[in-house]
Amino acid sequence: MPTVIPYIPQRITVHLAAPDTPAQNVTVSFVDYVKNVASSEIYPTWEESALRANILAIVSFALNRVYTEFYRSRGYNFEITSSTAYDQFFVNGRSFFTNVSRLVDELFDDYLRRPGFVEPLAAKFCNGTTVTCDGLSQWGSQNLARQGYTAPEILRSYYGSVEIVNNAPVRGITSSYPGTPLRRGYTGPAVVVVQVELNRISQNYPAIPKISPVDGIFGAQTEAAVRKFQEIFNLTVDGIVGRSTWYALVRYYIAVTSMAELRSQGQRFYANSWATTNPIQQGDQGVRVEHLQYMLSVLSSYIPEIPPITVDGIYGSATRNAVLAAQRRFGLPQTGIVNYETWTEIYDQFSGIETTSWRNPESFPYTAAIISGTNPRTRYSNTSTMTQFPGNNLRTGNQDPVRQEAPR
């Protein structure tokens, strides 16, 4: 599968009002956008570690909007708005503070993400006095900085376990849509994206048939899944992935993974490895086996027929017994070999449980660690099969305001 890493856009278009309010769009360099927002959102007299923390949050939130094509996938012609009810405070034409400008020049190509996640964190924030939110408190960050907290310590105190990605690539914004409608007979990475999106969406909409294997070939299975998706979501049912179907897939894929939310299930590195066609069997070792064991260990807490196992990355007899039990439970051929069909079924069952219970630190030590900031024993981050899937949130707007007023 193709490896795609989030990038820093050279320029970004800002709508100078709420999304559906008529207003001017302005296109500025991404660096100037961050300088503008930072100069509008925070005081230049604050401690440097507080300034750094806030700038990283601003960059990360904006990149999440770009990465998920939050507005573009809905037909808007901009990446972000100036409305603090939806996005970040931007004042067209304002000047920048000298020290803020210096820090942004250093930090604009760095961003936050959860360990094991692909997308930039939707790093919401508020002033922390008149408005509070489930994210960073601007005034609180200053108080922590005065106590000697570093920028990473400030960020982790609000967002939990996050990591800072440095020196992300810079390039112009391009649409994720491949430019040509995809139809039966087509092959390539864009078809892989469609197949994986459809398989993930089908976990929430079981009427959509699974595609197995995910092979980048637009065949009969893929066409059938596309047609059912189009039927469910009131699109033209032609089995062809044109622009409207492509961006509908984008929106619903992000809706089911909550990638545009602070408490996102996210595009996880380990979750992508299920698209591989290489089977896993007794004697194998490594990260893929760890992923399999982790999911089986979670399932064993809910399904008595599946015995508990140790997550050690070694496919031994205990793991084989658990696989056999899972195959028997899910009506699959009892081979003890984890092919695509078995992996997909295990992942689907695991994901359904995790979606409703993922903050339980006993059953989900790895996922819970991402949220709580604790250190899991093993971090799942298999990047060998990682694909980026841009997308959107289904709601007509971000229901949790980033902030309501700037500390100006």
Side-chain angles (χ1 to χ4, degrees):
M1 294 179 66
T3 298
V4 184
I5 301 298
Y7 63 91
I8 308 298
Q10 293 173 337
R11 302 176 71 78
I12 189 170
T13 299
V14 187
H15 183 67
L16 300 180
D20 292 319
T21 301
Q24 179 186 3
N25 290 343
V26 297
T27 300
V28 297
S29 72
F30 186 75
V31 174
D32 283 351
Y33 169 79
V34 177
K35 289 178 180 180
N36 188 308
V37 172
S39 295
S40 303
E41 291 275 10
I42 52 181
Y43 287 105
T45 55
W46 283 0
E47 301 293 327
E48 183 167 310
S49 60
L51 295 176
R52 287 177 175 274
N54 279 270
I55 289 169
L56 285 168
I58 290 167
V59 171
S60 187
F61 184 89
L63 290 183
N64 183 276
R65 285 293 195 249
V66 173
Y67 177 89
T68 60
E69 295 181 287
F70 191 90
Y71 292 109
R72 293 282 183 180
S73 66
R74 301 182 191 193
Y76 294 107
N77 59 349
F78 49 83
E79 279 73 49
I80 201 165
T81 76
S82 64
S83 170
T84 57
Y86 296 86
D87 299 306
Q88 306 180 131
F89 193 48
F90 176 91
V91 180
N92 189 33
R94 71 153 299 148
S95 59
F96 314 139
F97 298 118
T98 301
N99 61 331
V100 168
S101 182
R102 172 181 57 82
L103 290 173
V104 171
D105 284 335
E106 176 187 340
L107 298 171
F108 79 95
D109 56 355
D110 300 342
Y111 63 89
L112 309 174
R113 73 180 179 199
R114 301 271 187 218
F117 283 26
V118 179
E119 79 278 4
L121 181 71
K124 296 180 183 179
F125 52 85
C126 54
N127 64 20
T129 54
T130 60
V131 178
T132 59
C133 61
D134 187 17
L136 180 142
S137 162
Q138 293 170 319
W139 279 104
S141 68
Q142 169 65 354
N143 291 334
L144 291 178
R146 287 176 172 172
Q147 297 173 42
Y149 280 58
T150 65
E153 290 170 340
I154 292 170
L155 291 166
R156 289 176 184 131
S157 70
Y158 289 107
Y159 297 127
S161 183
V162 292
E163 58 190 13
I164 300 173
V165 179
N166 301 117
N167 301 316
V170 179
R171 67 175 176 83
I173 291 178
T174 56
S175 166
S176 67
Y177 177 60
T180 302
L182 305 176
R183 64 186 73 214
R184 194 163 178 173
Y186 278 46
T187 62
V191 178
V192 174
V193 171
V194 169
Q195 291 173 328
V196 174
E197 287 178 337
L198 283 167
N199 277 350
R200 178 60 185 88
I201 293 168
S202 72
Q203 294 175 33
N204 296 72
Y205 297 88
I208 300 173
K210 279 286 192 295
I211 303 166
S212 173
V214 172
D215 54 8
I217 301 172
F218 201 126
Q221 286 189 82
T222 303
E223 183 179 48
V226 169
R227 285 181 176 276
K228 179 55 69 172
F229 174 84
Q230 291 171 328
E231 177 186 329
I232 290 172
F233 297 112
N234 299 315
L235 300 165
T236 300
V237 181
D238 56 10
I240 299 171
V241 181
R243 180 178 291 274
S244 61
T245 296
W246 177 276
Y247 279 113
L249 284 166
V250 164
R251 292 193 301 274
Y252 282 91
Y253 180 79
I254 291 307
V256 298
T257 57
S258 301
M259 280 171 56
E261 300 296 325
L262 178 59
R263 297 301 181 184
S264 167
Q265 293 175 41
Q267 182 63 50
R268 286 162 288 192
F269 290 119
Y270 77 81
N272 287 299
S273 62
W274 59 276
T276 182
T277 58
N278 298 325
I280 308 172
Q281 55 193 322
Q282 192 163 356
D284 288 348
Q285 299 184 25
V287 174
R288 286 201 306 156
V289 177
E290 290 180 351
H291 299 169
L292 171 66
Q293 291 171 326
Y294 172 42
M295 292 189 290
L296 287 169
S297 69
V298 170
L299 292 180
S300 71
S301 299
Y302 293 82
I303 303 174
E305 296 94 323
I306 300 177
I309 57 174
T310 300
V311 181
D312 59 10
I314 301 171
Y315 196 125
S317 58
T319 300
R320 186 174 186 276
N321 289 336
V323 169
L324 286 168
Q327 290 174 328
R328 184 164 52 250
R329 177 69 165 77
F330 304 138
L332 301 170
Q334 297 173 45
T335 62
I337 297 173
V338 181
N339 59 6
Y340 176 83
E341 184 181 16
T342 295
W343 183 287
T344 299
E345 186 62 35
I346 290 173
Y347 178 76
D348 284 357
Q349 298 289 335
F350 161 80
S351 181
I353 294 171
E354 189 191 33
T355 297
T356 57
S357 308
W358 68 315
R359 295 190 186 186
N360 182 337
E362 294 182 1
S363 296
F364 300 92
Y366 308 102
T367 308
I370 291 173
I371 300 302
S372 68
T374 59
N375 293 318
R377 185 175 63 80
T378 304
R379 177 178 296 171
Y380 290 91
S381 57
N382 179 14
T383 60
S384 61
T385 56
M386 186 269 285
T387 297
Q388 173 186 356
F389 303 98
N392 198 358
N393 185 292
L394 283 176
R395 297 182 299 184
T396 55
N398 183 355
Q399 303 299 310
D400 298 319
V402 176
R403 59 186 304 279
Q404 294 294 340
E405 59 182 71
R408 50 189 184 276

